[in-house]
Amino acid sequence: MKASLLAQLNQEQQNTVTTDSQYTLVLAGAGSGKTRVLVHRIAWLCLEKHYQAGSIFAVTFTNKAAAEMQERIKSLIGEAHFNGMWVGTFHGLAHRLLRIFAKQAGLPTNFQLIDNDDQNRLIKRIFKERKIDEKQWSSKECSAFISTQKEHGLRAKDIAIDDPKSAMWQKIYIDYQAICDRVGYVDFSEIILRTYELLKTNQEALTYCNQRFTNILVDEFQDTNYIQYQLVKILVGQTANVMIVGDDDQSIYSWRGANADNLQLFINDYPETEIIRLEQNYRSTGSILQLANALITNNSNRLGKNLWTESEQGQAVAVYVGFNDIDEARFVVGQIKKLHEDNTHYRDCAILYRNNAQSRLLEDTLLQTGIPYQIYGSIRFYERQEVKLALAYLRLLHDHNNDNAFELVVNTPTRGIGEVTLNKIRQLARSHNQSMWQTTIQAIAMKAITPRQSSGLARFIELIQSIYQDVESLPFYQQLEQITKVSGIYEMYEQEAGIKGQSRLENLDELVSAAEQFYQQYDKDSSQQINQDELIDVQSNTLNVLELFLAYTSLEGKENKNNTDSVQLMTLHSAKGLEFDHVFIVGLEEGIFPAQRSITDPQKMEEERRLAYVGITRARKHLTLTLSELRRLYGKEERNLPSRFLAELPPELLQDLSYRRAITFAKSSSDDVLNGEEQQKQFLDERKASFIKSQSNNQGYTLGRKVVHKRFGEGTIVNLDGEGEHKRAQIAFVNEGVKWLVIKLANLTLL
């Protein structure tokens, strides 16, 4: 059995499986077989070290990963040896402990888990009881605040108050937790915090855990937050054997509380820790790994490792610079089409992007080409909540009798129109065989509903009618832009805390871009089919295009859902843990990737680089990096600098595939065109030099530099464009938003 457990493992993997160290840190690089090693380690403990299955406490981060680990352990050691083993997520295992020790944890035996929606509804109830205006105070932001405090191990009384908002949230936290404790509700963050408090204060529960769980294994340790690490420490106690597995170079979730420093903290807390590095990669070619290594070495404070492979060197990493984002999307889709024609499955191709909003143009291009695709870890662009909401407003604006659109938007944002009121309107509409819009107007006029019900509905009817009067003569993409602002949905998502709210706003802006692009394409196509003497009424033309666009978005959401062989689209965050033969990373431009909000923060920039590293190491056989010179995103056209990450990559590992090669590269003295290898090196050297020059030769105007404008006040330079007298700076002002200014004329003061 010993030989079979260690067969086909490399030396470092064998060392990990067989170590006798009480404390072990395994730095497992991408594609190094860490799941295999963890499974074999557990089998070794059971079959060779003769530990009982019940002594194993193995933690991973997703239910999918936990299920996979359980199955692999069972297949290796058999069902009998597995029974009694605790293998699951932090939340799943902590929940099991709370069920066993509910009374000691101060919970009823039948306590109920609540999700984020339940939590938000409860907080809204508290808002109403306290007469808090939801237009000024966001329940979702409050919910996120409470969860964050719990992840930091803080009860309401422990919070340091330094501003009015925190003071308000603290009061809500107190009320919220009082209700939860009285009724027996436990939210996701509470599961971990309550378990930690149980073990810290109850000797019976602590003794049970310390005596039972003598072998603790934690996967993806770089993704643990403060309270999860504290829970691990208290479970380890003085006697347990503990193995943590992680990769500080793949720590990309700080925005949801993860702390990559926990790897170093573990070494500090347990100085006798044995560190084992798994650096042999079984996934990618040599050129892809060399590229990843070169990029990540630009980060500081790494624990350090260098991926290598016995596999072939493979193809060079391709780079494509599109004229614009449409050209970029067509290139990527064209490459995938060629791969498919060469017998590559669509499912072996993945397109990775920094922001969800970037998927829209890629989706449209794939749809037009007839290539099946699916969005991994997300939903298709036109099916996203905020997109459907804006389109529903647009539908209702031009078709008041659309009941589906009416129901979706009538109380979003909230207008005090509850389910009782809507049920009344539905019943009246059915009995009179007319639309809910018509019924509402009649019910108000005839006083068939209460004054309170009438008030909210009347305001809504007036809103839609006033929007229509203001926008009826505009092209429909401009109507969309107006709708998102005037209806209040843009403001609603502005109040939504964190990256999710920002993503929703970006998607609304991107919807306007999609609509404008569709409108212009329609104008272009239809102008070729009519005589120049024919005059098309602006409004009727707008309605024609609108109907086509709405039909397009409806059909788009239903296409290709049953295809199993589909191109995979996903954000770089969603790609972690996955691998594909062919990977396309798009949008490698400053402000896109790295993201604009990260550029001025060194720690966030390091995480952006780790995200790029994760993306690169998803590729097995071939990697393509793309960018565009002109991009229309979030409703604006921008010329962004190439991503700084491109300047950090070794030119000899890259191959330029841009169509402009013939005019990009000069001829040699013998008047012969440079050979391919020299062309690639010259192109990339020039691009790197151009980026460095743009950062260093700007009279002090560099990305991230603080400036002051006499009228707009203090701001930060987030983009630069042009040369000489025409050089412009895009500046994010503290109080005035983002503006483009000509440097020569702006009279800026550098800070």
Side-chain angles (χ1 to χ4, degrees):
M1 180 56 71
K2 178 178 179 180
S4 64
L5 283 177
L6 301 180
Q8 298 182 335
L9 297 180
N10 65 39
Q11 189 59 55
E12 288 72 24
Q13 290 174 331
Q14 290 183 22
N15 293 343
T16 305
V17 168
T18 62
T19 181
D20 289 324
S21 297
Q22 183 178 0
Y23 308 111
T24 310
L25 165 58
V26 183
L27 282 176
S32 62
K34 68 179 178 63
T35 303
R36 179 189 178 99
V37 168
L38 272 172
V39 168
H40 281 248
R41 170 65 176 174
I42 291 170
W44 179 268
L45 291 171
C46 293
L47 301 180
E48 295 297 326
K49 292 296 183 177
H50 306 295
Y51 283 103
Q52 296 295 316
S55 73
I56 307 293
F57 188 95
V59 188
T60 189
F61 260 78
T62 66
N63 290 317
K64 180 181 176 183
E68 180 187 354
M69 187 178 289
Q70 289 173 12
E71 289 304 311
R72 290 174 69 168
I73 294 169
K74 289 176 187 177
S75 66
L76 201 58
I77 67 176
E79 190 83 36
H81 285 98
F82 179 81
N83 289 338
M85 196 177 294
W86 282 36
V87 179
T89 64
F90 268 106
H91 289 92
L93 298 181
H95 178 236
R96 287 179 68 176
L97 275 173
L98 287 180
R99 288 295 179 192
I100 296 172
F101 295 102
K103 183 179 179 181
Q104 293 87 336
L107 294 169
T109 54
N110 62 341
F111 69 84
Q112 177 187 342
L113 296 183
I114 61 173
D115 61 18
N116 292 335
D117 289 338
D118 296 326
Q119 184 181 29
N120 195 47
R121 277 192 290 271
L122 186 52
I123 289 171
K124 283 187 174 183
R125 195 174 101 196
I126 296 169
F127 274 23
K128 289 180 181 178
E129 291 172 355
R130 282 183 168 267
K131 294 182 172 55
I132 296 171
D133 185 356
E134 277 200 68
K135 293 181 180 178
Q136 293 183 331
W137 302 90
S138 166
S139 59
K140 290 186 177 180
E141 185 179 346
C142 181
S143 178
F145 174 87
I146 292 172
S147 295
T148 299
Q149 301 311 308
K150 290 185 177 185
E151 288 166 1
H152 284 89
L154 299 174
R155 292 297 183 188
K157 62 180 176 58
D158 304 318
I159 300 171
I161 302 302
D162 50 13
D163 61 79
K165 182 176 283 188
S166 296
M168 173 64 82
W169 293 161
Q170 183 188 43
K171 292 175 184 176
I172 305 299
Y173 186 178
I174 292 171
D175 289 355
Y176 167 80
Q177 197 58 49
I179 295 173
C180 288
D181 291 343
R182 183 175 70 252
V183 181
Y185 290 160
V186 176
D187 61 49
F188 289 142
S189 299
E190 181 73 15
I191 295 172
I192 309 295
L193 178 56
R194 185 67 69 111
T195 304
Y196 170 70
E197 291 174 340
L198 166 71
L199 298 181
K200 194 173 181 181
T201 59
N202 186 273
Q203 190 59 47
E204 178 189 0
L206 181 62
T207 300
Y208 171 86
C209 291
N210 288 160
Q211 289 181 351
R212 174 170 180 168
F213 303 122
T214 53
N215 291 284
I216 296 171
L217 305 95
V218 186
D219 193 12
E220 304 286 8
F221 202 77
Q222 77 279 353
D223 293 335
T224 54
N225 59 32
Y226 171 84
I227 197 64
Q228 288 167 339
Y229 180 48
Q230 297 306 313
L231 180 59
V232 169
K233 281 180 64 178
I234 204 166
L235 283 168
V236 170
Q238 300 298 317
T239 58
N241 301 312
V242 58
M243 174 177 287
I244 65 168
V245 182
D247 183 1
D248 54 334
D249 291 333
Q250 295 190 72
S251 177
I252 58 174
Y253 296 120
S254 66
W255 48 273
R256 67 183 190 196
N259 184 8
D261 292 339
N262 283 348
L263 289 165
Q264 186 61 56
L265 285 174
F266 184 87
I267 297 171
N268 297 342
D269 289 337
Y270 304 101
E272 58 271 46
T273 294
E274 177 187 12
I275 301 176
I276 302 175
R277 288 174 169 82
L278 301 183
E279 298 175 302
Q280 184 173 357
N281 177 283
Y282 294 92
R283 175 188 300 161
S284 307
T285 63
S287 59
I288 292 170
L289 294 181
Q290 289 167 27
L291 199 80
N293 288 332
L295 176 72
I296 203 64
T297 53
N298 290 278
N299 274 3
S300 57
N301 301 319
R302 297 173 60 229
L303 291 172
K305 65 185 179 310
N306 197 60
L307 296 180
W308 61 277
T309 183
E310 291 181 345
S311 300
E312 60 184 13
Q313 180 68 8
Q315 301 177 51
V317 173
V319 177
Y320 182 81
V321 185
F323 299 106
N324 55 29
D325 48 352
I326 297 174
D327 178 31
E328 178 191 30
R330 286 175 178 167
F331 168 78
V332 170
V333 173
Q335 293 296 106
I336 291 173
K337 189 174 181 181
K338 287 179 185 177
L339 287 167
H340 186 65
E341 290 169 353
D342 290 336
N343 299 317
T344 295
H345 292 296
Y346 284 131
R347 62 176 173 268
D348 293 327
C349 301
I351 306 174
L352 313 184
Y353 37 81
R354 181 63 180 84
N355 301 308
N356 271 315
Q358 290 174 259
S359 78
R360 195 274 308 167
L361 185 55
L362 294 160
E363 290 183 63
D364 286 353
T365 308
L366 286 162
L367 191 70
Q368 292 161 12
T369 316
I371 294 177
Y373 71 93
Q374 66 180 31
I375 304 289
Y376 182 91
S378 183
I379 54 177
R380 299 159 86 90
F381 182 81
Y382 293 110
E383 293 178 339
R384 290 169 187 157
Q385 177 196 99
E386 59 279 8
V387 173
K388 290 178 72 173
L389 188 59
L391 289 174
Y393 267 104
L394 188 61
R395 281 188 170 91
L396 187 65
L397 201 67
H398 294 281
D399 179 9
H400 293 343
N401 296 323
N402 188 317
D403 283 353
N404 287 335
F406 181 93
E407 290 208 42
L408 186 59
V409 305
V410 67
N411 197 41
T412 308
T414 179
R415 300 182 177 90
I417 303 170
E419 194 59 29
V420 173
T421 304
L422 285 178
N423 275 333
K424 179 70 173 176
I425 297 297
R426 288 189 195 103
Q427 291 169 7
L428 290 170
R430 278 196 297 270
S431 63
H432 290 85
N433 193 28
Q434 59 187 17
S435 71
M436 293 179 71
W437 175 275
Q438 293 171 323
T439 302
T440 299
I441 293 174
Q442 288 182 8
I444 293 170
M446 299 175 65
K447 299 183 179 179
I449 51 179
T450 68
R452 183 176 178 181
Q453 292 172 331
S454 178
S455 175
L457 287 169
R459 288 198 305 271
F460 174 69
I461 297 292
E462 289 169 8
L463 172 70
I464 298 299
Q465 291 174 335
S466 67
I467 293 176
Y468 185 78
Q469 290 172 3
D470 290 341
V471 305
E472 62 176 320
S473 62
L474 299 176
F476 79 90
Y477 64 89
Q478 292 181 7
Q479 295 179 3
L480 255 179
E481 188 170 20
Q482 287 281 84
I483 285 169
T484 60
K485 301 297 193 300
V486 179
S487 67
I489 60 175
Y490 203 89
E491 182 182 359
M492 178 180 74
Y493 290 126
E494 280 182 320
Q495 294 177 3
E496 187 170 338
I499 196 171
K500 190 173 182 180
Q502 181 62 35
S503 178
R504 292 194 192 281
L505 295 177
E506 291 170 351
N507 287 334
L508 287 174
D509 290 336
E510 181 61 16
L511 176 62
V512 176
S513 293
E516 181 179 3
Q517 190 176 73
F518 188 95
Y519 185 84
Q520 290 173 344
Q521 184 62 41
Y522 177 86
D523 270 359
K524 179 182 176 182
D525 293 343
S526 61
S527 66
Q528 298 171 4
Q529 301 170 15
I530 62 175
N531 297 323
Q532 289 184 342
D533 296 333
E534 287 185 73
L535 296 176
I536 300 178
D537 177 73
V538 172
Q539 182 178 354
S540 61
N541 190 41
T542 293
L543 290 175
N544 288 337
V545 190
L546 170 62
E547 289 170 3
L548 288 172
F549 180 70
L550 291 175
Y552 170 75
T553 60
S554 297
L555 290 172
E556 191 278 342
K558 296 177 175 60
E559 290 285 339
N560 302 321
K561 285 194 173 181
N562 296 319
N563 285 293
T564 54
D565 185 27
S566 305
V567 176
Q568 304 296 300
L569 273 67
M570 66 194 74
T571 64
L572 285 142
H573 282 100
S574 298
K576 189 169 180 290
L578 303 176
E579 56 186 76
F580 305 91
D581 283 350
H582 306 276
V583 170
F584 298 82
I585 303 178
V586 301
L588 275 158
E589 301 149 36
E590 290 290 299
I592 305 294
F593 190 27
Q596 193 69 66
R597 58 182 171 272
S598 301
I599 285 175
T600 59
D601 187 323
Q603 287 189 330
K604 288 182 179 179
M605 272 306 309
E606 294 219 341
E607 182 154 331
E608 292 283 327
R609 190 175 285 106
R610 292 195 293 268
L611 192 56
Y613 175 84
V614 166
I616 290 169
T617 54
R618 299 311 93 195
R620 287 192 286 249
K621 294 180 179 179
H622 193 231
L623 173 68
T624 302
L625 310 175
T626 70
L627 62 153
S628 66
E629 293 182 340
L630 182 68
R631 181 176 300 277
R632 185 168 188 83
L633 195 62
Y634 316 141
K636 299 177 182 177
E637 279 194 347
E638 300 286 358
R639 289 186 180 274
N640 299 315
L641 290 168
S643 171
R644 66 191 68 192
F645 300 148
L646 289 171
E648 296 170 357
L649 303 178
E652 64 273 12
L653 296 175
L654 300 170
Q655 177 186 14
D656 173 40
L657 297 182
S658 303
Y659 294 132
R660 296 160 303 153
R661 176 172 297 169
I663 60 172
T664 300
F665 303 103
K667 293 185 177 181
S668 65
S669 56
S670 62
D671 212 35
D672 293 324
V673 177
L674 297 173
N675 65 48
E677 191 172 313
E678 290 172 334
Q679 285 185 351
Q680 294 158 25
K681 187 174 188 307
Q682 180 175 322
F683 168 77
L684 290 155
D685 283 348
E686 288 174 358
R687 182 159 290 281
K688 184 171 182 176
S690 172
F691 178 82
I692 294 171
K693 180 182 177 182
S694 69
Q695 294 292 289
S696 60
N697 190 27
N698 285 316
Q699 298 89 40
Y701 294 100
T702 57
L703 295 180
R705 185 68 183 265
K706 300 282 187 184
V707 296
V708 173
H709 186 274
K710 286 185 178 180
R711 178 181 170 189
F712 302 135
E714 185 176 328
T716 302
I717 297 176
V718 295
N719 206 346
L720 292 164
D721 184 33
E723 297 292 338
E725 294 184 350
H726 304 291
K727 190 168 192 66
R728 301 187 304 159
Q730 188 183 34
I731 303 169
F733 290 101
V734 175
N735 298 316
E736 297 291 336
V738 180
K739 299 181 184 296
W740 277 103
L741 300 176
V742 177
I743 291 176
K744 183 179 179 181
L745 305 176
N747 196 21
L748 297 168
T749 302
L750 297 171
L751 297 180

